[in-house]
Amino acid sequence: MEELDGEPAVTVIPGVNSKKNQMCFDWGPGEMLVCETSFSKKEKSEMVPSCPFIYIIRKDVDVYSQILRKLFNESHGIFLGLQRIDEELTGKSRKSQLVRVSKNYRSVIRACMEEMHQVAIAAKDPASGRQFSSQVSILSAMELIWNLCEILFIEVAPAGHLLLHLLDWVRLHVCEVDSLSADVLGSENPSNHDSFWNLVTILVLQGRLDEARQMLSKEADASPASAGICRIMGDLMRTMPILSPGNTQTLTELELKWQHWHEECERYLQDSTFATNPHLESLLKIMLGDEAALLEQKELLSNWYHFLVTRLLYSNPTVKPIDLHYYAQSSLDLFLGGESSPEPLDNILLAAFEFDIHQVIKECSIALSNWWFVAHLTDLLDHCKLLQSHNLYFGSNMREFLLLEYASGLFAHPSLWQLGVDYFDYCPKLGRVSLELHIERIPLNTEQKALKVLRICEQRQMTEQVRSICKILAMKAVRNNRLGSALSWSIRAKDAAFATLVSDRFLRDYCERGCFSDLDLIDNLGPAMMLSDRLTFLGKYREFHHMYGEKRFADAASLLLSLMTSRIAPRSFWMTLLTDALPLLEQKQVIFSAEQTYELMQCLEDLTSRRPVRGESDIQQLQDEDIETTKVEMLRLALARNLARAIIREGSLEGS
C-alpha cells in the first residue's frame, strides 16, 4: 500500500487566493488552521492585502452530524462486545458469533440510513435535502459493501449456498420492486397495468419465481387465450431446481437436475412455444441465461452486480467462490459496454469478488469520507483471522492503524471523545501513547468533564496526565479564589510547589480575616500534609488551635514553640505565632518553662533585628509600624514576666 493512488482532492477555501498569496497553516490532532499571509508568491518583498480570516479545516466532519453520531454510539457497544469474544471458541460457534456481530453492524447502518432518508424527505431547504440524500447514498453503499464482505469473508458460503446469499444480497439492496408490486397489485386490473410485465421480469431477474408465477396466474385469468402458455411458464418456474437452506441434496444431484431443467427450457425455445407472447419468450431466454436477453433488461437490472447474480442464477447456480471474480469482471465489462468507466463502488465490489481484502479496505479508505467503516470492518475481519499476515511499515498492523485514525477523529468532538478512549485501549502497540497525547488536548471546560478525564487517566495509571489535569484544575480554583478546592487538587497532583503556594494563600487570608476557610479540608489533611513544609505547617497550626480550644495549654505551647524553632513556619508568620503565645504567657499557671521562654525571646529578637529599614513612609505604613512596635513591647513585657514566674516556680520545685 505504498504507491500513490492519485492526486489528493483539492479543498477550496472561500475568500482565499492561494495562487496569489502564500499560505500559513498549523496542524492539530483533528483539524488545521489556515490563513493567508501578507507575502505575494511572485515578489517576495511586496506586501499585499490579505484575507483577514483564520479558517478551521476539519478532516472528520461526519462526527458533527446528529444522525451519524447515533451510528458511532451504537457501533461502539458492538465493537466492545466483539473484543470480548472468547478466543478459545472455534469452528461453528465462533463463526456464528462473528456473523451475528456483522449483522448487528449492518442493522445500525440501515437504521441510520432510514432515519437520514426521513430527514431528507422532510428537509425544507433544497440544499440540505440534497446533502442528506447524498449521505443516504453513502450509507446504502456502505451496507452493500459490508453485506457482500459478510457473505464472502465471514460466512464463507460454499458453492450452491453462495448463490442463495447473493440473491438475498441483491433483493435487499435492489428494493424498487416492492413499491412497483404494490402499485401494480393495487390497480383494478393488474394484468393491464403498464408496468405489469416489467414487474414480472424484475421478479424473474431476482429469482423470486413463486411471486412471478402468481403474477402470471393473473394474466392467465384475464386472458384465456394465453392461459396455456402461462401455465407452461409457471411449471418451468416451479420446477427450476435450486438449493434451499434445509435441502440435503448434493451439488452433483443439483447440477444433474438443473441440466435436465435447462434442456427442457431449450426445447420450449426451439419449439417456439412462446412465440405468440414476446414477454413470455423474453422471460424464457432470461431463464436460459441468455446474455443478450439479460442485457436488454439493463434498465430493470439497474446495476452490473444485479446482472452478475441473475446471470449466475440462470447459467451456473453452483458457482464456486474461486470462480466468482471471472464472472464479476466479465459482467462489469458487459454491463458497462465501454460506454462508461467504473465508479469507486464498482472497484470496491470487484475487489471483494476477487477476494482481495486489502484492496477493498484501501479503496474504501479513499472513497469514504470518514474512518468508521474501514476501522470496524477491518477489526471484524481481523477477528476472523484474515489479516494476520498484513503489517504496515510504521509500527502497527492495518487494524490498529485504522482504529487509531478513527479514534483520533472522535477526539475532535466535544462528547464523542469518550468513545475514542475505548478504541485506543484495544490498540496494543500505539494505543496508550496516542491516548496520552490526545487526552492532554481535551479542553477542560467544566469540572464535571475534568473529573471524567481524570477518572479515565486514573483507571489506566496515566500518572503524568493525572498530575497535569490536577494542576490545571488547581490553577482554575486559585483564580476563582476557591482555596479549598485548589489545595485538594494540588494534593491530588502531588505538586509540592503549588501546595506551598495555596497554603501561603490560606495563611494570608487568616492574617487578614482572623479565621480559616475550608476547615473540614484542613482538619482532615492526614498524611497529605507531608507533601510540603508549608502544608505541614498549615496542618500543625490548625492542630494548635484545636489544642488551645480544648484547653490543652501545655501541648499547645510545645507545638507552637516547635513550629518556630524548627523553622517550619514562614518568617512572615512569626509575629502571628508570637501573638498567639500571649494568652498562654498571661495564664495564671506557668505554661512556658524558663528554657522555652528564652527560645521565644530569641525568636522575637531574630524577628525584630532583621526587620528592613524603611525610607519615608505614608500615614498607613506609619500606623502599621506603630501597631507592630506596640505588639513587640507587649510581647517583651509578657515574656519577661513569664520568665520571672518560671524561674521562681522552677527554683521552688528544686528547693523542695
Side-chain angles (χ1 to χ4, degrees), residues 25 64 169 314 319 337-338 390 437 479 508 542 596 599:
F25 61 89
Y64 295 92
W169 175 61
Y314 295 116
V319 63
H390 196 83
L437 292 172
R479 284 196 289 268
R508 194 168 70 206
R542 175 61 188 157
Q596 289 177 325
E599 288 178 341

Side-chain angles (χ1 to χ4, degrees), residues 6 14 81 189 442 502 507 556 645-646:
N189 191 348
I442 296 175
V502 178
L507 295 172
R645 292 165 60 201

Side-chain angles (χ1 to χ4, degrees), residues 158-358:
H161 291 284
L162 174 61
L163 185 63
L164 295 179
H165 288 298
L166 291 176
L167 280 170
D168 290 337
W169 175 61
V170 165
R171 291 166 188 167
L172 181 63
H173 297 282
V174 183
C175 48
E176 295 85 355
V177 64
D178 296 321
S179 57
L180 181 61
S181 178
D183 187 31
V184 171
L185 293 174
S187 63
E188 292 182 8
N189 191 348
S191 61
N192 288 335
H193 194 282
D194 292 341
S195 301
F196 175 80
W197 286 107
N198 280 350
L199 174 59
V200 176
T201 305
I202 293 175
L203 291 171
V204 173
L205 291 171
Q206 289 195 5
R208 297 162 68 169
L209 299 181
D210 289 338
E211 295 171 65
R213 283 170 52 220
Q214 292 173 9
M215 297 303 296
L216 286 178
S217 67
K218 296 185 183 298
E219 167 67 11
D221 294 340
S223 177
S226 59
I229 55 176
C230 284
R231 192 180 306 109
I232 295 170
M233 178 58 73
D235 288 340
L236 286 175
M237 292 178 178
R238 180 176 53 81
T239 57
M240 178 183 174
I242 191 163
L243 194 66
S244 57
N247 201 328
T248 57
Q249 64 181 331
T250 64
L251 283 182
T252 306
E253 291 172 341
L254 177 66
E255 286 171 351
L256 285 173
K257 289 180 180 179
W258 187 85
Q259 191 63 41
H260 290 309
W261 175 84
H262 194 269
E263 290 171 359
E264 186 179 1
C265 291
E266 283 278 9
R267 284 196 299 274
Y268 280 118
L269 182 63
Q270 291 171 3
D271 295 344
S272 302
T273 305
F274 302 101
T276 57
N277 191 321
H279 296 296
L280 291 175
E281 189 170 47
S282 175
L283 291 178
L284 183 63
K285 289 179 179 178
I286 290 171
M287 291 163 65
L288 282 166
D290 186 283
E291 290 179 359
L294 285 169
L295 291 171
E296 285 176 6
Q297 308 300 332
K298 260 190 180 184
E299 290 186 8
L300 299 180
L301 286 165
S302 73
N303 50 63
W304 69 270
Y305 48 89
H306 188 183
F307 169 62
L308 162 67
V309 175
T310 305
R311 182 184 171 199
L312 288 172
L313 174 64
Y314 295 116
S315 62
N316 188 3
T318 58
V319 63
K320 296 176 183 177
I322 197 171
D323 296 326
L324 267 181
H325 71 279
Y326 298 115
Y327 286 99
Q329 185 64 63
S330 62
S331 296
L332 176 63
D333 295 339
L334 286 169
F335 195 83
L336 296 181
E339 297 174 6
S340 60
S341 56
E343 297 289 331
L345 176 60
D346 300 329
N347 293 328
I348 294 167
L349 296 177
L350 199 60
F353 282 122
E354 291 173 353
F355 289 86
D356 191 343
I357 296 174
H358 304 120

Side-chain angles (χ1 to χ4, degrees), residues 133-182:
S133 296
S134 172
Q135 197 69 56
V136 169
S137 300
I138 293 170
L139 288 169
S140 177
M142 285 164 59
E143 199 209 346
L144 179 76
I145 298 164
W146 193 298
N147 196 350
L148 182 60
C149 290
E150 180 185 302
I151 294 167
L152 299 178
F153 305 137
I154 303 171
E155 291 202 42
V156 197
H161 291 284
L162 174 61
L163 185 63
L164 295 179
H165 288 298
L166 291 176
L167 280 170
D168 290 337
W169 175 61
V170 165
R171 291 166 188 167
L172 181 63
H173 297 282
V174 183
C175 48
E176 295 85 355
V177 64
D178 296 321
S179 57
L180 181 61
S181 178

Side-chain angles (χ1 to χ4, degrees), residues 421 602 627:
V421 172
Q602 182 64 47
I627 293 170

